[in-house]
Structure formats: structure tokens, C-alpha cells
Amino acid sequence: MSTDRSATADVPAPGVLGTRQPEAPSGGEPSVTAVLVRLKLSLLRNGLRQSSGRRAAYIASVCLVLLLAALQTLGLVLLHGTPHAATVAVLLTGVLALGWGVMPLFFPHGDETVDPSRLAMLPLRPKPLVRGLLAASLMGFGPLVTLCLTGGAAFAVARGAAGAVTAVVAVVLTLLLCVALSRAVVTANLRLLTSRRGRDLAVLSGLLIAVGAQVVNFGAQQLSRSGGLGVLDPAAAVVRWIPPASALGAVDSAGRGAYGAALVQLAATALVLAALLAYWRRALTRLMTAPDGSTLQAAGPGREKRGGRGASRLLPGGRTGAVMERSLRYIWRDPKTKMGWATSLAVGLIVPLANAVQGNGSAYFACFAPTLLGLMMYNQFGQDTSAFWIVAMTLDSPRRAYEELRARALALLLITVPYVLLVDVLATALFGDWRVLPGVLGLTLALLGAMIATGAWSSARFPYGIPQEGHKNVAPGQNGIAWISIFGGMLFSALLSAPVIALTVWLHVTDAYAALWAVLPAGILYGAVLAVLGLRLSAPRVISRLPEILAAVSKG
């Protein structure tokens, strides 16, 4: 007769008095590795038992990851025997190691089953704990994909028996080094990353993705223009001596008969792995024994107060100034709001500047800046989460709702207008066509006014909750509302901006560049009228839909 057991019920805690211990090795020390591996498997199995939906999602994820890994491995295998196979293999390994080292800073709890802080109360020694956590960390999607990619890369550069033997050793060393690097980074920074200030590092993830996407795009275009992978050979010649890419470099060296170089490259990888394990062990000891002081503030009478009153005095008085200050504080203090702003600011600047450097498009790529920052006007009440009920208590008339929306829009414009003007000037300067600057300025400001108008209306008509924990920006079951709100609003904003767009296009087609100066005042006036009308038309809808808005945003 079988019974269901919880994740921890079938795994005894090692070293605790009064519990049956697993069989110890010959040295008499409990097999912590076996316990931690069984613990991870139990947690995974019992997690899948919770619901059929979660099980189906997990199976679908496994199938997708296996398919992608198989396709990437096949592509690497097909590189075998090509002139630049070693270049691709070495650089790919370096990128993998960089990802293993950097991504844990943004997602420290990506695998909570090997979180060492959960074992702090158990009498475990660091050395066997490192072995156990390393073995448990090797089970998962990340190590599987890394194994496939490094195996395919090793096959691509392996030649002869010496190369094959070296490839096996290189793949094992690379996988162990990547996993050890990830766990060492997490362990050394766990208390900081899980503190309130440490969570602000998640802001950098948006910037990293935004910048990384443009770097990859720029690199791909440069490769296509240069006509081959040969331009990467100098970089690969350096990276092949940096662990763990040096392990793949050793495979290539052994295949060419340079056994001394191969031995040095393998030894360098092994030494770095040993150093990482030693550092991880010391970090574990410090985490388990040292008091947590990562969130302590420096106290003292001389400590500067946050958010001095000087800047606040520049804001208007009454409700408008109070709401503006609250909105600006959200931007600075709330991690998710800060991440959205940081990503929009970065991408809004990178897209036009990157295209200007590459010689693609025109200065009108600066329209990305008001579009992305205008999205910050959407779902205004959802950003307050469940605290919106305090604001709702003060909204007793359409006039109050209008003042609330207007103040939020003014706080957004306080940052957006100078930023958009800066991007417009920089994009025009890089493209070198100053004749179009008035048209760019007028069009971007008109588009910004349209985004504020549609954002206010969308906030009242399509509100949705934002979870306070985790990395999701939409509450469960409200994804459809979010898509309608954002993409519908962007499309409607483009339609509202059609008159200014048509005027700008007509002046370009007729080569009337001198008349583009008329677009600047037209865009300013048109954008201001759109913004005011949008705010005034949205205010009564906020009052009439106040219960629905409260219910929607409270789901976060």
C-alpha cells in the first residue's frame, strides 16, 4: 500500500540527532551528496504532483529545451572540419561561462532547491556540502543545455584519438566550472541579492538584455558585411587561453599535435575550477556562520536623509505636487517600476543611436524614445497595486480623478520631455542631417502627447494587477487585458498622430525641408491638445469604473 510523501518526508536530514542516517562511506561521514540529490529529485517530483497544469507546462518546457539543444548541437556538429570551427567553439564556451557567472546576479533564486541558506540550521560541514550542492546543481535545464553545447563544440574541433580523449576531459571540466562559478557567485552574494537594495540589481537585467540585443545585432551585421568568421579569429586567439574556453582550446591544440599547449590549457581550467570550489567553500562557511549585516543601514546624526526636501519644493503645491512626488518616488524606489523605466530609457536611446552608427534608417528612429516612455503612462493604477485603495478614497468626483491623472502625467513629462529632446538632437547629429531636426522634434512630441492620452484612457478601461513578488509584470489571468491595453493603445496612438505624420511625410516628399519648421509648433500644440483631451475624457471613466479598477489592481 503506497502513500504520498512530502518533498522532505522521504529524505532524512543528515547529521541530526534522533534520525536514521543514510549509509555512510568508509570514512564514517554521512553521504551528504546522496541526500541532497535525493532531496532535489523529491522536491521536483512532488512539485509536479501539485497540478496537472504544472506537470503539462514542465513537460512542454522539457520538450522545447531538448529540441533547441538538439538543433544547436547539430549545428555545431556540422561545423566539424570547417576552417573556423575552433573559433566558434572557443567563443561559444566563453559566452556560456559569462552567462553562468552573470545571470545569477539577476536571478539568485533561479533554483531554490540548492539554496544554501535553507540548510543553515543543519550541522553540515562545508566540504561535503559543496560536493552535494554541486551534484544537485548538475541536474536541470541549464546544465543539460551546457552539456549539449560544449559536447557539440568539442566534437566540432576534435581530430584524432588525442583530440577525442581531450574532448571528453574538456567537456567535463567546462560543465563543472560553469556550475561551480554560478553557485559560488550566488553564495557569495546571496544576502545582498535577497535584500531590498540587492533586488535593485534586477534593474540591470533589463539594461543587459537591451544592450546585449543591440550588440548581437551589430555584431551579426558586421559579420555579414565582412564576409565570414575570419574577423573573429583574433578574439578567439585570446579567449582560447581563458578558462573554461581554454578547455576547448586544448581540444583543438591536441588535434593539431600541440600537446604541450593542450596540457597547459587543461591545467589552467582545472586550476580555476579548484580555486572556484575553494572560494565557494569559504563563502559557504561565511554564509552559515557570520551574522547577516547586508541590510544594516549606517546610523548616525550625520547621515544624509533620503529624498531631500530641496527637490520637492520645486514641485507645485496641493494635490498635484503630492501626486507628482509620489509618482517620482515610485520610479526611484519600486524595483519593478525602476526596471521598466531603466529599460525604456536604455532601449529608447540605443535603437536610434545604434542604427545611426550602422548607417541604417534616419533620424526619425528617435520616435522609439517617446513610444517606449509613453508606455509608462499605461496601467497607472496597477502600479500602485493593492495600495490604490488609499488613492481611491480621495477620488470622489471627475475633477479629483482629472487632477490625479494630470499629476501623474506631469511627473512622467518631467523626465520624458528632456530625454526625448536629447535623443532627437543626438540622433539628428549622428545621422548628420540637421534639416530634419524640426520635423523630428514635432513628430516625437506629438506622439508623446498621443501616448499620454491613450495611456490615461487605457489605465481606466483596461487596468490589471502587477505581482509584487517574482519577475512577472502581469497578474495571473490578466495577460489578455495587458496585451489589449498596450498594443491597442500603441496602435491608437499612431492613428491619433496621423495628421502630424502625414504633414511630415508630405514635406519630405515635396522636398520642402525649409517648411519642416512648421512641424515643430504643430506637433507641440497637437500633442498638448491630445494629452489634455485624453486626461479629461478618462477622468469620468475612472469614477464610473472605480470598483472594477480596485478589483483588478488588487490581484497583484
Side-chain angles (χ1 to χ4, degrees):
M1 183 175 181
S2 62
T3 58
D4 247 15
R5 293 194 247 175
S6 66
T8 57
D10 53 356
V11 182
V16 179
L17 292 178
T19 60
R20 188 175 67 87
Q21 304 296 324
E23 282 189 44
S26 56
E29 188 178 73
S31 180
V32 178
T33 301
V35 171
L36 290 177
V37 170
R38 288 172 55 201
L39 175 61
K40 180 162 185 176
L41 292 176
S42 298
L43 290 171
L44 178 61
R45 182 178 65 249
N46 292 337
L48 295 178
R49 288 176 179 173
Q50 292 181 3
S51 67
S52 57
R54 183 171 182 174
R55 185 163 51 250
Y58 181 82
I59 294 174
S61 301
V62 169
C63 294
L64 180 61
V65 169
L66 290 178
L67 177 62
L68 293 176
L71 292 176
Q72 292 170 343
T73 304
L74 178 61
L76 290 169
V77 168
L78 294 177
L79 285 176
H80 183 72
T82 59
H84 301 292
T87 298
V88 175
V90 167
L91 293 180
L92 174 64
T93 307
V95 171
L96 280 175
L98 181 64
W100 277 97
V102 172
M103 293 311 292
L105 294 174
F106 306 125
F107 307 101
H109 287 306
D111 187 359
E112 294 187 350
T113 59
V114 290
D115 185 355
S117 63
R118 299 175 181 269
L119 307 174
M121 299 303 294
L122 298 178
L124 300 173
R125 295 183 179 275
K127 187 174 181 180
L129 186 58
V130 166
R131 289 198 303 264
L133 290 176
L134 181 61
S137 300
L138 289 172
M139 297 181 295
F141 290 156
L144 176 61
V145 173
T146 302
L147 179 62
C148 293
L149 293 181
T150 53
F155 180 86
V157 298
R159 294 188 298 271
V165 173
T166 308
V168 174
V169 179
V171 169
V172 174
L173 286 176
T174 301
L175 179 61
L176 291 176
L177 193 149
C178 288
V179 175
L181 173 63
S182 172
R183 302 320 307 171
V185 169
V186 169
T187 303
N189 300 279
L190 186 61
R191 286 176 175 169
L192 172 64
L193 294 174
T194 53
S195 66
R196 180 175 177 178
R197 285 188 173 184
R199 289 171 187 169
D200 286 347
L201 278 175
V203 175
L204 298 179
S205 64
L207 297 178
L208 180 67
I209 294 172
V211 175
Q214 292 301 320
V215 169
V216 170
N217 181 35
F218 182 74
Q221 293 189 8
Q222 291 297 108
L223 284 177
S224 63
R225 291 175 183 173
S226 63
L229 296 171
V231 295
L232 297 177
D233 289 341
V238 175
V239 176
R240 67 186 291 120
W241 293 98
I242 303 175
S246 59
L248 272 295
V251 179
D252 180 57
S253 299
R256 291 186 288 103
Y259 302 118
L263 184 61
V264 171
Q265 289 168 317
L266 282 179
T269 306
L271 286 175
V272 171
L273 175 59
L276 272 176
L277 292 175
Y279 175 75
W280 185 12
R281 179 181 176 180
R282 288 196 298 271
L284 271 175
T285 303
R286 186 167 59 251
L287 178 68
M288 298 293 191
T289 59
D292 185 3
S294 61
T295 58
L296 296 179
Q297 302 291 332
R303 188 169 65 93
E304 182 182 358
K305 294 182 179 180
R306 290 185 180 180
R309 296 180 180 179
S312 301
R313 282 198 290 264
L314 300 177
L315 299 176
R319 183 189 183 96
T320 300
V323 175
M324 289 181 66
E325 184 175 1
R326 185 185 69 215
S327 298
L328 294 174
R329 286 181 183 273
Y330 278 169
I331 295 172
W332 180 250
R333 292 184 177 181
D334 181 62
K336 289 195 174 182
T337 305
K338 185 188 294 187
M339 181 171 60
W341 272 92
T343 304
S344 298
L345 290 170
V347 177
L349 180 64
I350 289 172
V351 170
L353 298 190
N355 281 278
V357 171
Q358 299 172 28
N360 300 326
S362 68
Y364 288 97
F365 267 90
C367 290
F368 273 93
T371 302
L372 293 174
L373 290 180
L375 289 175
M376 298 296 102
M377 187 65 191
Y378 286 62
N379 196 35
Q380 278 291 314
F381 307 126
Q383 297 175 21
D384 296 348
T385 63
S386 58
F388 175 66
W389 72 270
I390 302 177
V391 178
M393 293 177 63
T394 67
L395 302 179
D396 54 2
S397 65
R399 178 176 178 80
R400 293 288 190 183
Y402 170 71
E403 292 174 350
E404 177 76 21
L405 290 172
R406 183 186 62 185
R408 292 174 184 245
L410 289 174
L412 183 141
L413 290 173
L414 195 63
I415 301 173
T416 304
V417 171
Y419 175 81
V420 169
L421 295 179
L422 175 64
V423 173
D424 289 347
V425 173
L426 289 177
T428 305
L430 288 175
F431 279 103
D433 191 0
W434 291 101
R435 299 175 303 170
V436 304
L437 179 59
V440 174
L441 290 171
L443 184 56
T444 53
L445 293 175
L447 182 58
L448 179 60
M451 292 293 292
I452 289 176
T454 56
W457 186 86
S458 177
S459 296
R461 182 63 183 85
F462 300 108
Y464 55 89
I466 300 177
Q468 297 182 7
E469 302 295 334
H471 300 283
K472 294 183 178 180
N473 291 320
V474 182
Q478 296 182 325
N479 291 289
I481 298 175
W483 281 87
I484 293 173
S485 171
I486 295 174
F487 289 99
M490 292 175 64
L491 178 61
F492 197 53
S493 297
L495 294 176
L496 289 176
S497 306
V500 180
I501 295 174
L503 175 62
T504 307
V505 172
W506 180 72
L507 293 176
H508 275 274
V509 171
T510 58
D511 291 330
Y513 289 100
L516 280 174
W517 282 102
V519 179
L520 178 55
I524 295 175
L525 180 61
Y526 187 74
V529 170
L530 283 181
V532 173
L533 285 177
L535 295 173
R536 288 197 175 276
L537 294 176
S538 302
R541 185 168 290 273
V542 170
I543 299 301
S544 62
R545 288 182 50 82
L546 200 55
E548 290 85 350
I549 296 174
L550 276 169
V553 303
S554 297
K555 293 182 179 180

CSV table of all heavy atoms in Angstrom, one decimal, residues 183-233:
chain,number,residue,atom,x,y,z
A,183,ARG,N,27.2,28.8,-8.7
A,183,ARG,CA,26.9,28.6,-7.3
A,183,ARG,C,27.8,29.5,-6.4
A,183,ARG,O,27.4,30.0,-5.4
A,183,ARG,CB,27.0,27.1,-6.9
A,183,ARG,CG,26.2,26.2,-7.7
A,183,ARG,CD,24.8,26.7,-8.0
A,183,ARG,NE,24.1,27.1,-6.8
A,183,ARG,CZ,22.9,27.8,-6.8
A,183,ARG,NH1,22.3,28.1,-8.0
A,183,ARG,NH2,22.3,28.1,-5.7
A,184,ALA,N,29.1,29.6,-6.8
A,184,ALA,CA,30.0,30.5,-6.0
A,184,ALA,C,29.5,31.9,-6.0
A,184,ALA,O,29.5,32.6,-5.0
A,184,ALA,CB,31.4,30.3,-6.5
A,185,VAL,N,29.1,32.4,-7.1
A,185,VAL,CA,28.6,33.8,-7.2
A,185,VAL,C,27.4,34.0,-6.4
A,185,VAL,O,27.2,35.0,-5.7
A,185,VAL,CB,28.4,34.2,-8.7
A,185,VAL,CG1,27.6,35.5,-8.8
A,185,VAL,CG2,29.7,34.2,-9.5
A,186,VAL,N,26.4,33.0,-6.5
A,186,VAL,CA,25.2,33.1,-5.7
A,186,VAL,C,25.5,33.1,-4.2
A,186,VAL,O,25.0,33.9,-3.4
A,186,VAL,CB,24.2,32.0,-6.1
A,186,VAL,CG1,23.0,32.0,-5.1
A,186,VAL,CG2,23.7,32.3,-7.5
A,187,THR,N,26.3,32.2,-3.8
A,187,THR,CA,26.6,32.0,-2.4
A,187,THR,C,27.3,33.2,-1.8
A,187,THR,O,27.0,33.7,-0.7
A,187,THR,CB,27.5,30.8,-2.1
A,187,THR,OG1,26.8,29.6,-2.7
A,187,THR,CG2,27.7,30.5,-0.7
A,188,ALA,N,28.2,33.8,-2.6
A,188,ALA,CA,29.0,34.9,-2.1
A,188,ALA,C,28.1,36.2,-1.9
A,188,ALA,O,28.4,37.1,-1.1
A,188,ALA,CB,30.2,35.2,-3.0
A,189,ASN,N,27.1,36.3,-2.8
A,189,ASN,CA,26.3,37.5,-2.8
A,189,ASN,C,24.8,37.3,-2.4
A,189,ASN,O,24.0,38.1,-2.7
A,189,ASN,CB,26.3,38.1,-4.2
A,189,ASN,CG,27.7,38.5,-4.7
A,189,ASN,OD1,28.2,39.5,-4.3
A,189,ASN,ND2,28.3,37.6,-5.5
A,190,LEU,N,24.5,36.1,-1.8
A,190,LEU,CA,23.1,35.7,-1.5
A,190,LEU,C,22.4,36.7,-0.6
A,190,LEU,O,21.3,37.2,-0.9
A,190,LEU,CB,23.1,34.3,-0.9
A,190,LEU,CG,21.7,33.8,-0.8
A,190,LEU,CD1,21.0,33.6,-2.1
A,190,LEU,CD2,21.7,32.4,-0.1
A,191,ARG,N,23.1,37.1,0.5
A,191,ARG,CA,22.4,38.0,1.4
A,191,ARG,C,22.2,39.4,0.8
A,191,ARG,O,21.1,40.0,1.0
A,191,ARG,CB,23.2,38.2,2.7
A,191,ARG,CG,23.1,36.9,3.6
A,191,ARG,CD,24.0,37.0,4.8
A,191,ARG,NE,23.8,35.9,5.7
A,191,ARG,CZ,24.6,35.6,6.7
A,191,ARG,NH1,25.6,36.3,6.9
A,191,ARG,NH2,24.3,34.5,7.4
A,192,LEU,N,23.1,39.9,0.0
A,192,LEU,CA,22.9,41.1,-0.7
A,192,LEU,C,21.8,41.1,-1.7
A,192,LEU,O,21.0,41.9,-1.8
A,192,LEU,CB,24.2,41.6,-1.3
A,192,LEU,CG,24.2,42.8,-2.2
A,192,LEU,CD1,23.7,44.0,-1.4
A,192,LEU,CD2,25.5,43.1,-2.9
A,193,LEU,N,21.8,40.0,-2.5
A,193,LEU,CA,20.9,39.9,-3.6
A,193,LEU,C,19.5,39.7,-3.1
A,193,LEU,O,18.5,40.1,-3.8
A,193,LEU,CB,21.3,38.7,-4.5
A,193,LEU,CG,22.6,38.8,-5.3
A,193,LEU,CD1,22.9,37.5,-6.0
A,193,LEU,CD2,22.5,40.0,-6.2
A,194,THR,N,19.3,39.1,-1.9
A,194,THR,CA,17.9,38.9,-1.4
A,194,THR,C,17.4,40.1,-0.5
A,194,THR,O,16.3,40.0,-0.1
A,194,THR,CB,17.8,37.6,-0.6
A,194,THR,OG1,18.9,37.6,0.4
A,194,THR,CG2,18.0,36.4,-1.6
A,195,SER,N,18.3,41.1,-0.3
A,195,SER,CA,17.9,42.2,0.4
A,195,SER,C,17.1,43.2,-0.5
A,195,SER,O,17.1,43.0,-1.7
A,195,SER,CB,19.1,42.9,1.0
A,195,SER,OG,19.9,43.5,0.0
A,196,ARG,N,16.5,44.2,0.2
A,196,ARG,CA,15.7,45.1,-0.6
A,196,ARG,C,16.6,45.9,-1.6
A,196,ARG,O,16.2,46.1,-2.8
A,196,ARG,CB,15.0,46.1,0.3
A,196,ARG,CG,14.1,47.1,-0.4
A,196,ARG,CD,13.4,48.0,0.5
A,196,ARG,NE,12.6,49.0,-0.2
A,196,ARG,CZ,11.8,49.9,0.4
A,196,ARG,NH1,11.7,49.9,1.7
A,196,ARG,NH2,11.2,50.8,-0.3
A,197,ARG,N,17.7,46.3,-1.1
A,197,ARG,CA,18.6,47.1,-2.1
A,197,ARG,C,19.2,46.1,-3.1
A,197,ARG,O,19.4,46.5,-4.3
A,197,ARG,CB,19.8,47.7,-1.3
A,197,ARG,CG,19.4,48.9,-0.5
A,197,ARG,CD,20.6,49.6,0.1
A,197,ARG,NE,20.2,50.9,0.7
A,197,ARG,CZ,21.1,51.7,1.2
A,197,ARG,NH1,22.4,51.4,1.2
A,197,ARG,NH2,20.7,52.9,1.8
A,198,GLY,N,19.5,44.9,-2.7
A,198,GLY,CA,20.0,44.0,-3.7
A,198,GLY,C,19.1,43.7,-4.8
A,198,GLY,O,19.5,43.4,-5.9
A,199,ARG,N,17.8,43.7,-4.6
A,199,ARG,CA,16.8,43.4,-5.6
A,199,ARG,C,16.8,44.5,-6.7
A,199,ARG,O,16.4,44.2,-7.8
A,199,ARG,CB,15.4,43.3,-5.0
A,199,ARG,CG,15.2,42.1,-4.2
A,199,ARG,CD,13.9,42.1,-3.4
A,199,ARG,NE,13.8,41.0,-2.5
A,199,ARG,CZ,12.8,40.9,-1.6
A,199,ARG,NH1,11.9,41.8,-1.5
A,199,ARG,NH2,12.8,39.8,-0.8
A,200,ASP,N,17.4,45.6,-6.4
A,200,ASP,CA,17.5,46.6,-7.4
A,200,ASP,C,18.5,46.2,-8.5
A,200,ASP,O,18.5,46.8,-9.6
A,200,ASP,CB,18.0,48.0,-6.8
A,200,ASP,CG,16.9,48.6,-6.0
A,200,ASP,OD1,15.7,48.2,-6.2
A,200,ASP,OD2,17.2,49.6,-5.3
A,201,LEU,N,19.3,45.2,-8.3
A,201,LEU,CA,20.1,44.7,-9.3
A,201,LEU,C,19.3,44.1,-10.5
A,201,LEU,O,19.8,44.0,-11.6
A,201,LEU,CB,21.1,43.6,-8.8
A,201,LEU,CG,22.3,44.0,-8.1
A,201,LEU,CD1,23.0,42.8,-7.5
A,201,LEU,CD2,23.2,44.8,-9.0
A,202,ALA,N,18.1,43.8,-10.2
A,202,ALA,CA,17.2,43.3,-11.3
A,202,ALA,C,17.0,44.4,-12.4
A,202,ALA,O,16.7,44.1,-13.5
A,202,ALA,CB,15.9,42.9,-10.8
A,203,VAL,N,17.2,45.6,-12.0
A,203,VAL,CA,17.1,46.7,-13.0
A,203,VAL,C,18.1,46.5,-14.1
A,203,VAL,O,17.9,46.8,-15.2
A,203,VAL,CB,17.3,48.1,-12.3
A,203,VAL,CG1,17.3,49.2,-13.3
A,203,VAL,CG2,16.2,48.3,-11.2
A,204,LEU,N,19.3,46.1,-13.7
A,204,LEU,CA,20.4,45.9,-14.6
A,204,LEU,C,20.1,44.8,-15.6
A,204,LEU,O,20.7,44.8,-16.7
A,204,LEU,CB,21.7,45.6,-13.9
A,204,LEU,CG,22.2,46.7,-13.0
A,204,LEU,CD1,23.5,46.2,-12.3
A,204,LEU,CD2,22.4,48.0,-13.7
A,205,SER,N,19.2,43.8,-15.3
A,205,SER,CA,18.9,42.8,-16.2
A,205,SER,C,18.3,43.3,-17.5
A,205,SER,O,18.5,42.9,-18.6
A,205,SER,CB,18.0,41.7,-15.5
A,205,SER,OG,16.8,42.3,-15.2
A,206,GLY,N,17.3,44.3,-17.3
A,206,GLY,CA,16.7,44.9,-18.4
A,206,GLY,C,17.7,45.6,-19.3
A,206,GLY,O,17.7,45.5,-20.5
A,207,LEU,N,18.6,46.3,-18.6
A,207,LEU,CA,19.6,47.0,-19.4
A,207,LEU,C,20.6,46.1,-20.1
A,207,LEU,O,21.0,46.3,-21.2
A,207,LEU,CB,20.5,47.9,-18.4
A,207,LEU,CG,19.7,49.0,-17.7
A,207,LEU,CD1,20.6,49.8,-16.8
A,207,LEU,CD2,19.1,50.0,-18.7
A,208,LEU,N,20.9,45.0,-19.4
A,208,LEU,CA,21.8,44.0,-20.0
A,208,LEU,C,21.2,43.4,-21.3
A,208,LEU,O,21.8,43.2,-22.3
A,208,LEU,CB,22.1,42.9,-19.0
A,208,LEU,CG,23.1,41.8,-19.5
A,208,LEU,CD1,24.5,42.3,-19.7
A,208,LEU,CD2,23.1,40.7,-18.5
A,209,ILE,N,19.9,43.0,-21.2
A,209,ILE,CA,19.2,42.4,-22.3
A,209,ILE,C,19.1,43.4,-23.4
A,209,ILE,O,19.3,43.1,-24.6
A,209,ILE,CB,17.8,42.0,-21.9
A,209,ILE,CG1,17.9,40.8,-20.9
A,209,ILE,CG2,17.0,41.5,-23.1
A,209,ILE,CD1,16.6,40.4,-20.3
A,210,ALA,N,18.8,44.7,-23.1
A,210,ALA,CA,18.6,45.7,-24.1
A,210,ALA,C,20.0,46.0,-24.9
A,210,ALA,O,20.0,46.0,-26.1
A,210,ALA,CB,18.1,47.0,-23.5
A,211,VAL,N,21.0,46.2,-24.1
A,211,VAL,CA,22.3,46.4,-24.7
A,211,VAL,C,22.8,45.2,-25.4
A,211,VAL,O,23.4,45.3,-26.5
A,211,VAL,CB,23.3,46.9,-23.6
A,211,VAL,CG1,24.7,47.0,-24.2
A,211,VAL,CG2,22.9,48.2,-23.0
A,212,GLY,N,22.6,44.0,-24.8
A,212,GLY,CA,23.1,42.8,-25.4
A,212,GLY,C,22.5,42.5,-26.7
A,212,GLY,O,23.1,42.0,-27.7
A,213,ALA,N,21.2,42.7,-26.8
A,213,ALA,CA,20.5,42.5,-28.1
A,213,ALA,C,21.0,43.4,-29.2
A,213,ALA,O,21.2,43.0,-30.3
A,213,ALA,CB,19.0,42.8,-27.9
A,214,GLN,N,21.3,44.7,-28.9
A,214,GLN,CA,21.9,45.6,-29.9
A,214,GLN,C,23.3,45.2,-30.2
A,214,GLN,O,23.7,45.3,-31.4
A,214,GLN,CB,21.8,47.0,-29.4
A,214,GLN,CG,20.4,47.5,-29.3
A,214,GLN,CD,19.7,47.5,-30.6
A,214,GLN,OE1,20.2,47.8,-31.6
A,214,GLN,NE2,18.4,47.2,-30.5
A,215,VAL,N,24.1,44.7,-29.2
A,215,VAL,CA,25.4,44.3,-29.5
A,215,VAL,C,25.4,43.1,-30.5
A,215,VAL,O,26.2,43.0,-31.4
A,215,VAL,CB,26.2,44.0,-28.2
A,215,VAL,CG1,27.5,43.3,-28.5
A,215,VAL,CG2,26.4,45.2,-27.4
A,216,VAL,N,24.5,42.1,-30.2
A,216,VAL,CA,24.4,40.9,-31.0
A,216,VAL,C,24.0,41.3,-32.4
A,216,VAL,O,24.5,40.8,-33.4
A,216,VAL,CB,23.4,39.9,-30.4
A,216,VAL,CG1,23.1,38.8,-31.4
A,216,VAL,CG2,24.0,39.3,-29.1
A,217,ASN,N,23.0,42.2,-32.5
A,217,ASN,CA,22.6,42.7,-33.8
A,217,ASN,C,23.7,43.4,-34.6
A,217,ASN,O,23.9,43.1,-35.8
A,217,ASN,CB,21.4,43.7,-33.6
A,217,ASN,CG,20.8,44.2,-35.0
A,217,ASN,OD1,20.8,43.5,-35.9
A,217,ASN,ND2,20.4,45.4,-35.0
A,218,PHE,N,24.4,44.3,-33.9
A,218,PHE,CA,25.5,44.9,-34.6
A,218,PHE,C,26.6,44.0,-35.0
A,218,PHE,O,27.2,44.1,-36.1
A,218,PHE,CB,26.1,46.0,-33.6
A,218,PHE,CG,27.2,46.8,-34.2
A,218,PHE,CD1,27.0,47.8,-35.1
A,218,PHE,CD2,28.5,46.6,-33.8
A,218,PHE,CE1,28.0,48.5,-35.6
A,218,PHE,CE2,29.6,47.3,-34.3
A,218,PHE,CZ,29.3,48.3,-35.2
A,219,GLY,N,26.9,43.0,-34.1
A,219,GLY,CA,28.0,42.0,-34.5
A,219,GLY,C,27.6,41.2,-35.6
A,219,GLY,O,28.4,40.9,-36.5
A,220,ALA,N,26.3,40.7,-35.7
A,220,ALA,CA,25.8,39.9,-36.8
A,220,ALA,C,25.9,40.7,-38.1
A,220,ALA,O,26.3,40.2,-39.2
A,220,ALA,CB,24.4,39.5,-36.6
A,221,GLN,N,25.6,42.0,-38.1
A,221,GLN,CA,25.7,42.8,-39.3
A,221,GLN,C,27.1,43.0,-39.7
A,221,GLN,O,27.4,43.0,-40.9
A,221,GLN,CB,25.0,44.1,-39.1
A,221,GLN,CG,23.5,44.0,-38.9
A,221,GLN,CD,22.8,45.4,-38.9
A,221,GLN,OE1,23.4,46.4,-39.2
A,221,GLN,NE2,21.5,45.4,-38.6
A,222,GLN,N,28.0,43.2,-38.8
A,222,GLN,CA,29.4,43.3,-39.1
A,222,GLN,C,30.0,42.0,-39.7
A,222,GLN,O,30.7,42.1,-40.7
A,222,GLN,CB,30.2,43.7,-37.9
A,222,GLN,CG,29.9,45.1,-37.3
A,222,GLN,CD,30.3,46.2,-38.3
A,222,GLN,OE1,29.5,46.8,-39.0
A,222,GLN,NE2,31.6,46.3,-38.6
A,223,LEU,N,29.5,40.9,-39.2
A,223,LEU,CA,30.0,39.6,-39.7
A,223,LEU,C,29.5,39.4,-41.2
A,223,LEU,O,30.2,38.9,-42.0
A,223,LEU,CB,29.5,38.5,-38.9
A,223,LEU,CG,30.3,38.2,-37.5
A,223,LEU,CD1,29.6,37.1,-36.8
A,223,LEU,CD2,31.7,37.9,-37.8
A,224,SER,N,28.2,39.8,-41.4
A,224,SER,CA,27.7,39.6,-42.7
A,224,SER,C,28.4,40.5,-43.7
A,224,SER,O,28.6,40.2,-44.9
A,224,SER,CB,26.2,39.9,-42.7
A,224,SER,OG,25.9,41.2,-42.3
A,225,ARG,N,28.8,41.7,-43.3
A,225,ARG,CA,29.5,42.6,-44.2
A,225,ARG,C,30.9,42.2,-44.4
A,225,ARG,O,31.4,42.4,-45.5
A,225,ARG,CB,29.5,44.0,-43.6
A,225,ARG,CG,28.1,44.7,-43.6
A,225,ARG,CD,28.1,46.0,-42.8
A,225,ARG,NE,26.8,46.6,-42.7
A,225,ARG,CZ,26.6,47.7,-42.1
A,225,ARG,NH1,27.5,48.3,-41.4
A,225,ARG,NH2,25.3,48.2,-42.0
A,226,SER,N,31.6,41.6,-43.4
A,226,SER,CA,32.9,41.2,-43.6
A,226,SER,C,33.1,40.0,-44.4
A,226,SER,O,34.1,39.7,-44.9
A,226,SER,CB,33.6,41.0,-42.2
A,226,SER,OG,32.9,39.9,-41.5
A,227,GLY,N,32.0,39.2,-44.5
A,227,GLY,CA,32.0,38.0,-45.4
A,227,GLY,C,32.5,36.7,-44.8
A,227,GLY,O,32.8,35.8,-45.5
A,228,GLY,N,32.6,36.7,-43.5
A,228,GLY,CA,33.0,35.4,-42.9
A,228,GLY,C,33.3,35.5,-41.4
A,228,GLY,O,33.3,36.6,-40.8
A,229,LEU,N,33.7,34.4,-40.8
A,229,LEU,CA,34.0,34.3,-39.4
A,229,LEU,C,35.5,34.6,-39.1
A,229,LEU,O,35.9,34.6,-38.0
A,229,LEU,CB,33.7,32.9,-38.8
A,229,LEU,CG,32.2,32.5,-38.8
A,229,LEU,CD1,32.1,31.1,-38.5
A,229,LEU,CD2,31.4,33.4,-37.9
A,230,GLY,N,36.2,34.9,-40.2
A,230,GLY,CA,37.6,35.2,-40.0
A,230,GLY,C,37.9,36.4,-39.1
A,230,GLY,O,39.0,36.4,-38.5
A,231,VAL,N,37.0,37.3,-39.1
A,231,VAL,CA,37.3,38.5,-38.3
A,231,VAL,C,37.2,38.2,-36.8
A,231,VAL,O,37.7,39.0,-36.0
A,231,VAL,CB,36.2,39.6,-38.6
A,231,VAL,CG1,36.3,40.1,-40.0
A,231,VAL,CG2,34.8,39.1,-38.3
A,232,LEU,N,36.7,37.0,-36.4
A,232,LEU,CA,36.7,36.7,-35.0
A,232,LEU,C,37.9,35.9,-34.6
A,232,LEU,O,38.1,35.6,-33.4
A,232,LEU,CB,35.4,35.8,-34.7
A,232,LEU,CG,34.1,36.5,-34.9
A,232,LEU,CD1,32.9,35.5,-34.7
A,232,LEU,CD2,33.9,37.7,-34.0
A,233,ASP,N,38.8,35.6,-35.5
A,233,ASP,CA,39.9,34.8,-35.2
A,233,ASP,C,40.9,35.5,-34.1
A,233,ASP,O,41.4,34.8,-33.2
A,233,ASP,CB,40.7,34.4,-36.4
A,233,ASP,CG,40.0,33.4,-37.3
A,233,ASP,OD1,39.1,32.7,-36.7
A,233,ASP,OD2,40.3,33.3,-38.5
